[in-house]
Amino acid sequence: MSASASVDSKRSSYGTGAGDGSQRDASTVTVRTMDGGQHAEQESVALTVDGFGTVKNPLTGVVEPVKRFTWVNESGMSVQVISYGAIITSVKVPGRDGSLDDVVMGFDDIPGYQTANNPYFGATVGRVANRVGGAKFTIDGVEYLVTKNWENRHQLHGGKIGFDKFNWASYVNGTVVTLTHTNPEGHEGYPGAVLTSVTYQLTNDNKFLVKFQATSSHPTPINLTNHSYFNLAGHATGHEEVYRHIITLNADRITETDEDSIPSGNFLCVGGTPYDLRIPRELGPAMSRAPGEGYDNNFCITKGTEQGLAFTARVVHPRSGRFLEVYTDQPGVQLYTSNGMPDPNRNIRPRAINAPDYYEVTHLEPVVPAMTSDPPIRGKGGAKYFKHGAFCLETQNFPDAINHANFPNSVLVPGETYSHEVVYKFGIYEEN
């Protein structure tokens, strides 16, 4: 498949400092495709830019304005991204009945995204996404100790102040938004200063294109991802709707992990296991057979001879008719089913068989005890987010790759550029 790599606009109402809320008119653009070809088309995706509050730089304390970018295409699909954490805050997609629902979890304001219980909703995660075992690694004979923020002995998602905690600079070219962040040498214990960019673009065929790039002044591990939490029934509809999704994952193997979710370096074939999602399966019953009744695993994407984007996953929500397909050039994808989110009564669990009369009854969210120590996360519009209320598909290199010679290389050296592309394709499937 091809996806737009860049867009050169012949007419744009934006400069690099756009932030006045103006809307870009439709214009003729030249689209460069990934295969190097070009074609002219009438662009009618609208992009607006406005503010989303302010944040303090976690290193300097300087107060910085946060920008919000909103795309809307011809079908009515819209996506919102903010410069803080390069976070995807909203994805609204039409359903079969024409209803427009927001299908990603998030918050209404900056204080929400800065709460201690925010599980990286929609964030760009780095410098190293997922785990670094023992919070240490060795490059060229030098051992580096990075901060520990997982089980008091490992690092998760870049440490205590990862890329998601910074306000990124922005540049707008037509309807393409590029956000950049410079991470200083030694931050969270990592060698080298790293310049990172993430580029976002919405197309009229309901694809949201994401491209991460990075360069470094010294050899350093790098593994970036987006941590959006999806529920195609709507972000606030809860675990019962998630269990009804039908998932397919293009993976023959997973990386074996220990009780701390740290890879052993071995691989497990998915055949005959709860991890065999190569044919469509209802998510809830599949989760019920997995250890811990949920997924938090790196699936090794099966690729043919193609070197570009490979089909990674397809998820369908039958009742709404919505589907999500994911394509990436990365070797792995982390399927996470929100196992660590609040479960006030400790009774949210998938069933081996979904109740056939589920859609005939009124959906009720879990009752929250008055003195619970595990209250729900309060999200957009006052929504209550609970365990298993969403799923993540985090495209990535294999977790802890820096500590396993048999995993794909994760070390970025000066003079080279890290690149990672992912396409989220939304649509409505036709019933037979």
Side-chain angles (χ1 to χ4, degrees):
M1 65 175 294
S2 65
S4 298
S6 64
V7 175
D8 295 332
S9 177
K10 296 181 180 178
R11 180 165 60 88
S12 174
S13 62
Y14 288 121
T16 58
D20 57 0
S22 57
Q23 181 165 317
R24 184 179 184 275
D25 297 327
S27 62
T28 302
V29 297
T30 299
V31 179
R32 291 194 182 95
T33 57
M34 294 182 66
D35 59 8
Q38 295 188 14
H39 67 276
E41 65 178 26
Q42 187 71 19
E43 183 182 18
S44 53
V45 175
L47 173 66
T48 59
V49 185
D50 62 3
F52 196 75
T54 61
V55 293
K56 283 186 178 181
N57 184 298
L59 301 183
T60 67
V62 174
V63 176
E64 301 169 345
V66 177
K67 292 183 180 180
R68 176 172 58 185
F69 307 89
T70 304
W71 293 261
V72 182
N73 70 10
E74 287 182 336
S75 68
M77 177 180 170
S78 68
V79 178
Q80 290 186 324
V81 169
I82 59 174
S83 56
Y84 177 68
I87 293 170
I88 298 174
T89 60
S90 173
V91 178
K92 294 182 179 179
V93 186
R96 187 185 295 114
D97 63 359
S99 61
L100 197 65
D101 287 310
D102 191 346
V103 298
V104 295
M105 288 181 168
F107 298 101
D108 288 324
D109 52 30
I110 288 296
Y113 285 103
Q114 293 184 317
T115 56
N117 64 348
N118 172 17
Y120 303 93
F121 284 151
T124 294
V125 176
R127 175 178 309 194
V128 176
N130 218 304
R131 280 81 172 172
V132 176
K136 61 183 179 180
F137 55 85
T138 300
I139 297 178
D140 296 334
V142 178
E143 184 179 62
Y144 295 92
L145 303 178
V146 294
T147 54
K148 299 175 182 178
N149 66 328
W150 176 253
E151 303 294 345
N152 294 316
R153 52 186 175 271
H154 311 293
Q155 189 183 86
L156 175 69
H157 293 333
K160 297 176 181 178
I161 306 176
F163 286 9
D164 59 298
K165 303 297 192 299
F166 289 90
N167 191 35
W168 295 44
S170 62
Y171 173 78
V172 178
N173 181 14
T175 59
V176 180
V177 174
T178 299
L179 302 176
T180 63
H181 167 62
T182 301
N183 198 237
E185 181 172 4
H187 182 65
E188 297 292 318
Y190 285 99
V194 170
L195 174 61
T196 305
S197 69
V198 56
T199 300
Y200 294 115
Q201 183 183 14
L202 178 65
T203 69
N204 262 326
D205 55 354
N206 287 1
K207 295 175 186 174
F208 194 56
L209 315 179
V210 182
K211 184 173 184 177
F212 305 96
Q213 290 187 300
T215 57
S216 179
S217 63
H218 291 85
T220 189
I222 193 83
N223 187 24
L224 306 178
T225 194
N226 179 269
H227 210 307
S228 288
Y229 284 69
F230 297 100
N231 183 333
L232 298 180
H235 71 100
T237 57
H239 60 283
E240 291 285 1
E241 291 288 359
V242 167
Y243 296 157
R244 294 283 168 167
H245 286 63
I246 297 172
I247 188 168
T248 309
L249 268 178
N250 178 28
D252 294 329
R253 303 181 300 168
I254 63 169
T255 47
E256 181 186 60
T257 58
D258 63 16
E259 63 276 6
D260 287 347
S261 298
I262 305 301
S264 66
N266 298 321
F267 299 93
L268 300 176
C269 293
V270 301
T273 76
Y275 306 104
D276 191 352
L277 304 175
R278 293 173 294 183
I279 61 173
R281 299 186 187 278
E282 273 195 301
L283 190 51
M287 290 166 61
S288 74
R289 294 188 290 272
E293 298 184 322
Y295 294 103
D296 190 8
N297 303 92
N298 174 65
F299 287 74
C300 307
I301 299 168
T302 303
K303 294 190 176 184
T305 58
E306 74 274 11
Q307 298 300 309
L309 300 176
F311 169 72
T312 301
R314 176 181 170 90
V315 187
V316 175
H317 181 250
R319 190 182 192 191
S320 68
R322 296 186 185 95
F323 73 78
L324 165 64
E325 292 178 351
V326 179
Y327 299 81
T328 189
D329 58 1
Q330 294 300 287
V333 60
Q334 190 87 5
L335 171 61
Y336 175 55
T337 50
S338 305
N339 316 320
M341 288 180 62
D343 182 8
N345 298 298
R346 300 293 187 268
N347 63 354
I348 296 176
R349 58 187 308 181
R351 297 177 291 272
I353 300 176
N354 281 324
D357 60 346
Y358 166 69
Y359 288 133
E360 304 303 322
V361 301
T362 301
H363 171 72
L364 296 175
E365 66 182 22
V367 175
V368 181
M371 301 300 291
T372 181
S373 61
D374 194 20
I377 298 172
R378 288 285 185 168
K380 290 180 285 190
K384 298 176 183 178
Y385 296 150
F386 295 94
K387 177 182 177 181
H388 293 170
F391 62 90
C392 303
L393 291 167
E394 306 159 58
T395 56
Q396 60 183 5
N397 195 350
F398 297 168
D400 199 30
I402 186 63
N403 287 315
H404 299 280
N406 61 326
F407 284 8
N409 175 55
S410 67
V411 177
L412 175 64
V413 299
E416 295 185 356
T417 300
Y418 166 88
S419 183
H420 169 180
E421 294 187 52
V422 57
V423 174
Y424 302 101
K425 178 182 178 181
F426 296 88
I428 301 171
Y429 82 98
E430 299 298 329
E431 292 182 300
N432 294 329

